[in-house]
Amino acid sequence: GDQVIRGEGVVEVEAPSFFDISLRSDSLAVDDDLVSAMSESSRQIVSDFGFKGRAGIQVSVHSTGPGASEVVADVTLAEGSVRHERFPYALQLAEGRLRLVGDHTVKFEGIGTPRDSKPHVVLGGCLTTEGSRRTLSFDFDIKDLEFDEKFKASLPPELARFVSNMKLGGVYDGKI
């Protein structure tokens, strides 16, 4: 197909043994095959956000000590869209980076819609997992988000009541 992945590596079998393997692709489709190769938490993120598209990747699989290893993936968005299961609109993405460290950390940097899109959204933050506990820390910079009925219907019930009772409407610009 149209997937090109380049790799190189070093494996030292004499004591102390170590390995360092690097994989790289300038434009990799995020398809079912790639998603099935991800860790469970990464698959869940892709599923929750409904990501579709292509990304440049740089992956390092390396030893961190006797019998221990770590995977670090740097992902640069090439093109794509997301639609979180709880958000009423798909957002086209134009820029941004993710760093996945092992099965415990995902860092989001400058994930954004095209600058002239409405709404224009830029996301930064981190998702960490320790055991069964997931911690989210997100910063959203939002411009031109219209408070229409479709958007209001997507809000959690308490927030939807607040928005209705305050008769909030119009267009929102701000940071969350």
Side-chain angles (χ1 to χ4, degrees):
D2 63 351
Q3 307 278 53
V4 176
I5 301 171
R6 293 179 175 81
E8 60 184 44
V10 175
V11 178
E12 186 70 43
V13 292
E14 294 182 20
S17 64
F18 74 93
F19 64 91
D20 187 356
I21 301 169
S22 296
L23 302 169
R24 181 176 66 83
S25 177
D26 294 332
S27 183
L28 189 64
V30 179
D31 58 14
D32 291 341
D33 291 336
L34 180 63
V35 172
S36 69
M38 293 177 178
S39 68
E40 184 177 336
S41 63
S42 296
R43 283 192 307 267
Q44 188 64 48
I45 291 169
V46 171
S47 175
D48 288 350
F49 283 89
F51 179 80
K52 296 180 182 353
R54 300 185 77 79
I57 62 150
Q58 179 92 29
V59 178
S60 170
V61 182
H62 56 272
S63 54
T64 57
S69 64
E70 180 176 63
V71 177
V72 176
D74 291 306
V75 179
T76 302
L77 183 65
E79 63 178 340
S81 67
V82 291
R83 180 171 184 240
H84 192 275
E85 58 189 19
R86 296 183 186 157
F87 191 70
Y89 308 105
L91 296 174
Q92 295 302 310
L93 299 176
E95 59 187 351
R97 293 172 306 283
L98 290 94
R99 174 166 255 219
L100 296 89
V101 180
D103 200 18
H104 54 83
T105 304
V106 180
K107 294 179 182 178
F108 302 86
E109 299 175 5
I111 306 285
T113 59
R115 298 196 187 278
D116 61 349
S117 68
K118 292 186 180 187
H120 175 62
V121 180
V122 178
L123 161 73
C126 190
L127 168 65
T128 56
T129 304
E130 292 180 35
S132 62
R133 181 178 171 191
R134 294 174 83 185
T135 304
L136 296 168
S137 172
F138 286 140
D139 296 311
F140 290 92
D141 187 358
I142 302 169
K143 295 192 179 358
D144 297 320
L145 176 63
E146 187 175 343
F147 272 76
D148 61 10
E149 292 307 313
K150 188 175 179 182
F151 177 74
K152 291 176 189 176
S154 74
L155 298 173
E158 300 81 24
L159 186 53
R161 274 193 298 281
F162 175 78
V163 168
S164 292
N165 291 340
M166 295 298 294
K167 299 189 183 347
L168 294 177
V171 177
Y172 175 82
D173 286 356
K175 296 184 183 216
I176 299 174

